Amino acid sequence: MAGATVSSPPDVSVPENPYLAGFLSQLRQERRLSRHTADAYARDVRALLGLAGTTPLAELQIHQIRRFVAQLHGRGLGGKSLARLLSAWRGFFKYLARDHGFSRNPCAGVRPPKSPKSLPKALSPDEATRLVSIAGDDKLAVRDRAIFELFYSSGLRLSELTSLKSGDVNFADATVRVTGKGNKTRVVPVGSHALQALKAWMMVRDLLVKQDEAAMFISHNGGAITPRAIQQRLKIWSIKQGLPRNVHPHMLRHSFASHVLQSSGDLRAVQEMLGHSSISTTQVYTHLDFQYLAKVYDQAHPRAKRKGK
């Protein structure tokens, strides 16, 4: 969408196009866009006019639009920036068709190059162990240790953990019943350390819980703990435990998935435990797994190290 805070194309000095003023007027008066957003549209359309040069707008073809996108991509614009540009260009040609009789939109069907997916950050096994190794019998420390152990043991989403009820953990079977996206329920294994932490927390919970409160994890006031409170507690404990990064709940989910995959190589099982509807969503962890293995290889193999690494 135009107006997003992403990189802009290089400024192109071109004479003001007679259609541009009308387009900007439509954006401000009919669509009620802010001046800032309209200015972003103007920059994007001016980039198109500069690339088109002497070619009349009515004569632009789809292959030329694709070439413009390729040129801008070659100058360093990423997929998000180019998607914003194309959105502005399509809107401009819709205006030209409506108000000036243009017969086609050469930007229709043109897609920007995909932006590279950023890999989720994960803790190392040692860092994860350090985080969950919370000492002491303070009530909140006992609760936080149970929360972090369960996050790391079972790969839950933050929303899934906060919605857990006191009866959702089956201590006999070492499983937890989770309600995930789309109100889908799945049963996930719980590790022995997490079970011990949960048993300790359940005894403390009985001392704090308000009457009729069903939430598994509660605050010091006895009501259900909020997602924001968990985020804050995780940040506090990551600093206390000496972790070198800003840890957030989803990082523990990523760590769970990455470490299970490193150990088992069973992508389908990881998909089931995470509650992903598509295997393609889980496949990002194969890249994490490969990065970890490559790092270990480079450090351990006597002939793996290369100059300049």
Side-chain angles (χ1 to χ4, degrees):
M1 173 181 175
T5 54
V6 291
S7 303
S8 294
D11 289 334
V12 182
S13 179
V14 295
E16 196 69 7
N17 185 278
Y19 295 125
L20 182 55
F23 177 54
L24 297 178
S25 177
Q26 181 228 4
L27 293 177
R28 291 176 183 144
Q29 295 178 14
E30 295 183 21
R31 296 180 56 183
R32 302 293 183 183
L33 298 184
S34 68
R35 183 178 183 84
H36 173 75
T37 303
D39 287 346
Y41 272 97
R43 285 194 300 271
D44 292 341
V45 172
R46 289 190 185 105
L48 170 66
L49 298 173
L51 291 162
T54 59
T55 304
L57 290 172
E59 295 179 13
L60 284 176
Q61 306 290 324
I62 189 170
H63 69 271
Q64 293 169 300
I65 299 297
R66 288 196 176 111
R67 187 174 71 245
F68 298 161
V69 171
Q71 289 173 353
L72 293 174
H73 189 48
R75 295 180 196 176
L77 263 69
K80 289 183 179 179
S81 298
L82 292 169
R84 186 206 67 204
L85 277 169
L86 282 167
S87 176
W89 295 357
R90 280 191 289 267
F92 182 49
F93 275 100
K94 284 181 181 178
Y95 158 77
L96 294 175
R98 191 194 73 172
D99 289 14
H100 298 281
F102 277 49
S103 60
R104 64 177 182 276
N105 189 334
C107 303
V110 179
R111 295 184 178 181
K114 290 184 178 179
S115 297
K117 287 186 178 179
S118 57
L119 293 176
K121 293 180 180 179
L123 298 172
S124 70
D126 287 343
E127 288 171 336
T129 299
R130 195 190 319 164
L131 174 65
V132 300
S133 299
I134 298 174
D137 56 4
D138 174 78
K139 292 182 177 64
L140 295 187
V142 173
R143 180 201 64 191
D144 294 346
R145 180 165 62 245
I147 288 174
F148 301 163
E149 284 278 16
L150 186 56
F151 263 137
Y152 181 49
S153 166
S154 304
L156 306 189
R157 299 178 178 95
L158 177 58
S159 60
E160 294 171 346
L161 187 133
T162 53
S163 65
L164 285 178
K165 306 303 180 186
S166 58
D168 286 338
V169 174
N170 187 323
F171 290 95
D173 290 344
T175 59
V176 59
R177 184 176 64 252
V178 181
T179 302
K181 291 184 176 180
N183 210 33
K184 293 180 180 178
T185 301
R186 68 185 189 279
V187 176
V188 184
V190 180
S192 59
H193 291 284
L195 283 175
Q196 291 175 8
L198 286 166
K199 287 177 181 178
W201 161 241
M202 292 305 288
M203 289 189 290
V204 173
R205 179 185 178 278
D206 289 341
L207 303 176
L208 296 174
V209 67
K210 289 181 178 179
Q211 188 175 4
D212 299 326
E213 177 57 66
M216 165 73 76
F217 295 108
I218 58 176
S219 69
H220 64 281
N221 293 323
I225 194 171
T226 65
R228 179 61 178 161
I230 293 178
Q231 291 170 332
Q232 291 175 333
R233 297 295 290 178
L234 185 53
K235 187 172 184 178
I236 290 171
W237 278 111
S238 66
I239 295 171
K240 284 184 178 181
Q241 301 298 80
L243 296 181
R245 63 184 83 185
N246 183 21
V247 181
H248 52 82
H250 221 60
M251 188 180 288
L252 288 176
R253 178 171 161 87
H254 296 326
S255 303
F256 157 83
S258 180
H259 300 166
V260 170
L261 189 58
Q262 287 166 14
S263 300
S264 69
D266 193 334
L267 189 65
R268 185 66 68 180
V270 173
Q271 176 197 357
E272 291 293 329
M273 286 186 283
L274 289 175
H276 287 161
S277 57
S278 170
I279 193 70
S280 62
T281 309
T282 318
Q283 283 175 333
V284 66
Y285 295 105
T286 62
H287 300 293
L288 280 175
D289 185 40
F290 177 79
Q291 286 185 340
Y292 172 79
L293 293 176
K295 183 178 179 181
V296 171
Y297 175 80
D298 284 343
Q299 291 175 345
H301 197 288
R303 299 182 67 83
K305 296 177 182 178
R306 297 182 290 275
K307 291 181 180 180
K309 276 194 59 112

